[in-house]
Amino acid sequence: MLVRLRHILLFFILLTTDLAWSQINYPHFIQKARLDLTEGKFNESISELNIAIAAKPDNFEGYFLRGMAKYSLDDLQGAITDFDKALEIHPMYVRALQYRAICYDKQDEFAKALADHNHANQLDPFDADVLFSRGITYLHLGHYDKAIADYDMVLSIEKNDALAYINRGVAKSHLKQYASALADLDEAVRLDIMNPEVYYHRGIVKMECDSFTEAIADFNQAIHFDEKNPLFYYNRAVAEINLNDTIASLSDYETVNQLDERNSLTYFNRGILYSCQKDYRKALEMFDLVTLINPSNIYGYFNRSIVYCEQKKWKAAEADLTKVLELFPEYISAWVNRSVVRQEKGDRRGAEADHQQALYLIGLFNGDGADTDALYQKYADSTYFKHIMEFESDFVNGETRGRQAQYAEVEINLFPNFVVAFVSPEEELSDKGIYYGDRLPQVNEKITGKLMVCLDDKTRDDIVPWLNMNHLGDYATLNQSAMMFSEEQEKCLSEHRDPDFSQAINLLLDVLKKNQRNPFLWYNLGNSHLHQKEYNRAIDAFSEALVLNPDLAEAYYNRALTLIFIGETKLALADLSKAGELGLTEAYAVMKRFGK
């Protein structure tokens, strides 16, 4: 069995790898980064800007552009950090204020977004872009009159801005000024007749006016210009439901899931429709997918339990309702339904206990119970409800999704241990310096190139003496501990037991007592602790590695996954941002998945 290992390549070349930053052509890297940004090559742009920033760390432009690249990859916190630095150097840079405000807006930090927008507007009252994005924040805050005022101003500066007409129309529709809203959207269509977005937004307003047939006509036009946008199909399906055209609606929902396989909101709606048609097999398939994609969403379990009840599968229904109550103990309907299910199962005591709990909660919500204040405080916590109710649904255009790293379908795995492989400078390296089996070069004349990969007895007998050669020092320990780790992984799989990495951990700790300055030893120690489920110790070890080598991207990545596992998502996102900045594009897909 071949074991995947991460290699440190030791050449004499490494002695001269420090860049002479003063000789870097800063304008070249800035210009190349700008070009890559316009072409959607955001990861490449970040790599070039890293070099530019290292060459001129006191120039605001590099930080701003890198912030824009991170923003485009949905790394909002990383973008804010770079915009902070740009504004530290150039406090009056309007565009950095504007985009920091946009990032705050996307994080639902509307007070901060408004403060930055207002500051930018004070610096340049006639900047239409600032007014436009501030209008979006006002829309999100429900300040529709203020949004309309901003878009009035935008249109006085740029009379043919179709998007400003769209947003002003949206704001007016929220104020139920439908005739004026549709007039704005008609003007947007006139100005940008081939833009699918204008038809889409007009279709939304027409649905609000209960003009579903006309809305469908607009969604048809939007799909004509962009047949890969799942949002258009989704809303056409909603309009079709309102016209009682279930078959067309299911077809559109299915198209959404073909374009976006992780859109659990659409799977949920399909499950509801199949349930109404009494097609319980398909309904269960849909709710299964909802719970798989969003395992903390109560509605997937609750509605699946209803389907199980229709099929008289009481045990399965009870299990789903129990899961709902684990996630949301105050959900009265789940207590009521589980009481009925337990009654059907013959569990009278359990049914009565659930019935009494339902009555208690009903009284609590309608009376003066002692726990009322605490309960309502919990209900006021939007983060809590977001956790248990949110469906995953990006509705991103397929073409855009295919170009951007954050939408990549990646298998989320830890980066493996580092080992040392000696290669000649002319050796052709793989993209990430990972070698398998006979692809490794010869270590010396006596030992074949199967360094800690093929772990048969003969190879091991050959390698271990070499690993213990004194002149190799820390790196001999690195390799030996990695081999111990790999052997233990294989043994525990074959013996069907939990792994015990204490041998590798103890070896690393013994060496680190004498020399604590090798970041790779700390990294491998962190991996060993992590696989041993010693999460805090793993975080400490990865942190030590990063103190010694702040550019060790794999340590940021693995520490981030550890933090996600223990529920520290905000800290994890900062680590993933840094890992992405250092070139690990996998970080953006993980960030996209867990950043919600």
Side-chain angles (χ1 to χ4, degrees):
M1 180 179 181
L2 301 181
V3 181
R4 187 172 183 265
L5 299 170
R6 194 81 171 157
H7 288 71
I8 307 165
L9 306 176
L10 301 181
F11 308 119
F12 288 113
I13 297 172
L14 293 181
L15 297 176
T16 58
T17 54
D18 288 337
L19 288 172
W21 296 115
S22 62
Q23 299 176 10
I24 292 295
N25 187 342
Y26 178 84
H28 165 78
F29 284 99
I30 289 292
Q31 187 59 32
K32 183 67 168 66
R34 283 183 179 278
L35 181 62
D36 282 339
L37 272 171
T38 61
E39 294 178 352
K41 298 177 181 177
F42 305 122
N43 300 106
E44 293 89 337
S45 179
I46 288 172
S47 297
E48 289 143 9
L49 290 164
N50 288 344
I51 297 172
I53 289 168
K56 288 191 176 182
D58 295 329
N59 193 308
F60 73 92
E61 188 177 21
Y63 295 104
F64 173 73
L65 291 174
R66 192 172 68 180
M68 292 298 296
K70 290 178 181 179
Y71 165 77
S72 301
L73 289 164
D74 291 329
D75 177 9
L76 300 177
Q77 194 53 51
I80 287 170
T81 300
D82 276 342
F83 295 144
D84 285 346
K85 188 64 180 177
L87 288 164
E88 179 185 318
I89 298 167
H90 186 350
M92 299 179 69
Y93 188 36
V94 168
R95 209 55 69 213
L97 279 167
Q98 180 199 357
Y99 275 93
R100 189 172 68 177
I102 293 171
C103 289
Y104 283 136
D105 183 282
K106 285 178 173 288
Q107 292 182 325
D108 296 342
E109 296 187 58
F110 300 122
K112 290 182 179 179
L114 199 54
D116 271 355
H117 274 129
N118 288 341
H119 187 188
N121 181 248
Q122 288 169 0
L123 293 171
D124 189 349
F126 299 102
D127 188 312
D129 290 336
V130 171
L131 291 163
F132 185 96
S133 58
R134 188 174 68 176
I136 293 173
T137 297
Y138 280 138
L139 280 170
H140 292 157
L141 285 167
H143 298 167
Y144 303 120
D145 287 324
K146 291 182 178 180
I148 291 169
D150 270 352
Y151 292 118
D152 286 344
M153 189 66 178
V154 171
L155 290 167
S156 71
I157 298 168
E158 298 180 3
K159 296 181 179 180
N160 294 324
D161 189 332
L163 295 178
Y165 278 107
I166 289 174
N167 285 10
R168 191 172 71 175
V170 169
K172 290 176 178 178
S173 72
H174 281 290
L175 294 173
K176 302 189 184 305
Q177 300 171 5
Y178 295 123
S180 183
L182 287 172
D184 273 352
L185 291 160
D186 288 343
E187 182 64 14
V189 170
R190 187 188 70 78
L191 289 169
D192 200 355
I193 195 169
M194 298 183 68
N195 183 348
E197 293 292 331
V198 298
Y199 297 101
Y200 162 73
H201 285 285
R202 191 171 68 177
I204 294 293
V205 174
K206 286 179 178 177
M207 279 208 297
E208 292 177 18
C209 299
D210 294 337
S211 299
F212 299 111
T213 301
E214 292 182 25
I216 288 171
D218 270 344
F219 295 138
N220 290 343
Q221 199 66 21
I223 290 167
H224 172 73
F225 288 115
D226 183 0
E227 61 183 17
K228 292 185 178 180
N229 193 317
L231 190 59
F232 302 160
Y233 294 97
Y234 181 90
N235 282 280
R236 189 171 70 177
V238 173
E240 288 159 348
I241 288 172
N242 280 278
L243 293 174
N244 297 315
D245 192 347
T246 305
I247 294 174
S249 179
L250 280 170
S251 176
D252 273 345
Y253 278 144
E254 185 175 355
T255 302
V256 173
N257 284 136
Q258 288 170 352
L259 294 167
D260 179 6
E261 294 180 359
R262 289 189 60 84
N263 192 313
S264 65
L265 175 61
T266 304
Y267 288 123
F268 179 81
N269 286 358
R270 289 170 70 188
I272 295 293
L273 289 178
Y274 284 130
S275 298
C276 292
Q277 293 181 331
K278 300 189 183 303
D279 189 341
Y280 299 131
R281 181 185 63 80
K282 287 185 178 178
L284 287 174
E285 286 178 8
M286 297 300 104
F287 293 135
D288 286 347
L289 287 166
V290 173
T291 58
L292 179 67
I293 297 168
N294 291 146
S296 297
N297 185 295
I298 59 171
Y299 293 128
Y301 299 106
F302 187 80
N303 284 276
R304 189 170 66 181
S305 75
I306 293 172
V307 175
Y308 283 137
C309 287
E310 293 289 340
Q311 297 179 312
K312 301 188 185 304
K313 295 180 178 179
W314 307 117
K315 185 176 180 180
E318 182 183 30
D320 271 351
L321 289 166
T322 299
K323 182 65 177 178
V324 171
L325 292 168
E326 287 174 5
L327 294 166
F328 189 9
E330 296 83 22
Y331 194 12
I332 295 171
S333 295
W335 289 107
V336 172
N337 284 16
R338 196 174 71 171
S339 176
V340 173
V341 168
R342 287 181 166 175
Q343 187 71 33
E344 293 289 344
K345 285 181 64 189
D347 180 5
R348 294 184 179 179
R349 181 177 297 179
E352 180 61 22
D354 283 353
H355 178 67
Q356 292 300 322
Q357 182 64 17
L359 291 176
Y360 166 74
L361 289 171
I362 291 169
L364 193 61
F365 282 111
N366 295 283
D368 298 320
D371 296 332
T372 304
D373 288 342
L375 190 62
Y376 277 92
Q377 185 175 0
K378 182 177 183 180
Y379 269 70
D381 182 0
S382 62
T383 304
Y384 170 69
F385 281 98
K386 188 175 182 180
H387 173 69
I388 64 172
M389 295 181 178
E390 187 175 50
F391 293 97
E392 183 166 335
S393 53
D394 283 315
F395 293 111
V396 177
N397 178 287
E399 185 180 345
T400 302
R401 181 183 295 274
R403 287 201 312 263
Q404 297 183 9
Q406 68 268 39
Y407 296 107
E409 288 296 327
V410 297
E411 187 177 349
I412 299 176
N413 291 314
L414 294 161
F415 276 91
N417 287 324
F418 279 101
V419 297
V420 180
F422 292 90
V423 300
S424 58
E426 63 272 10
E427 180 75 24
E428 184 176 347
L429 307 181
S430 63
D431 289 342
K432 295 187 178 180
I434 297 171
Y435 294 83
Y436 296 90
D438 294 331
R439 289 173 59 195
L440 279 170
Q442 288 188 337
V443 176
N444 59 33
E445 293 179 357
K446 296 181 180 179
I447 302 174
T448 58
K450 296 183 180 179
L451 183 57
M452 284 191 298
V453 176
C454 297
L455 296 176
D456 57 88
D457 291 339
K458 181 179 185 306
T459 306
R460 183 181 175 199
D461 291 342
D462 286 341
I463 290 173
V464 170
W466 176 78
L467 287 169
N468 288 321
M469 291 170 65
N470 291 332
H471 72 274
L472 290 174
D474 291 351
Y475 293 109
T477 302
L478 192 76
N479 285 2
Q480 193 169 5
S481 68
M483 185 173 67
M484 290 175 177
F485 181 96
S486 298
E487 285 183 320
E488 177 57 22
Q489 276 189 319
E490 292 196 359
K491 284 180 182 178
C492 71
L493 286 173
S494 62
E495 296 171 7
H496 304 289
R497 60 173 175 81
D498 291 334
D500 178 6
F501 298 110
S502 57
Q503 189 180 9
I505 289 171
N506 290 335
L507 175 63
L508 289 163
L509 287 172
D510 285 342
V511 174
L512 284 166
K513 287 176 184 176
K514 302 170 188 175
N515 179 11
Q516 300 185 8
R517 304 298 301 170
N518 188 318
F520 302 108
L521 290 175
W522 285 109
Y523 173 88
N524 281 13
L525 179 64
N527 264 1
S528 299
H529 279 309
L530 179 50
H531 284 82
Q532 194 86 344
K533 299 181 180 179
E534 297 170 348
Y535 303 116
N536 289 326
R537 290 181 179 179
I539 290 168
D540 289 343
F542 290 134
S543 299
E544 289 289 344
L546 289 166
V547 168
L548 295 166
N549 183 352
D551 293 331
L552 192 56
E554 292 85 352
Y556 284 110
Y557 187 90
N558 283 10
R559 187 172 70 176
L561 294 189
T562 311
L563 289 165
I564 287 171
F565 190 82
I566 65 173
E568 294 288 349
T569 307
K570 188 171 183 179
L571 293 173
L573 292 177
D575 275 355
L576 289 168
S577 175
K578 191 64 179 176
E581 179 184 310
L582 292 168
L584 294 185
T585 58
E586 298 94 326
Y588 296 111
V590 178
M591 195 182 305
K592 184 71 178 172
R593 186 169 303 179
F594 292 100
K596 298 181 179 182

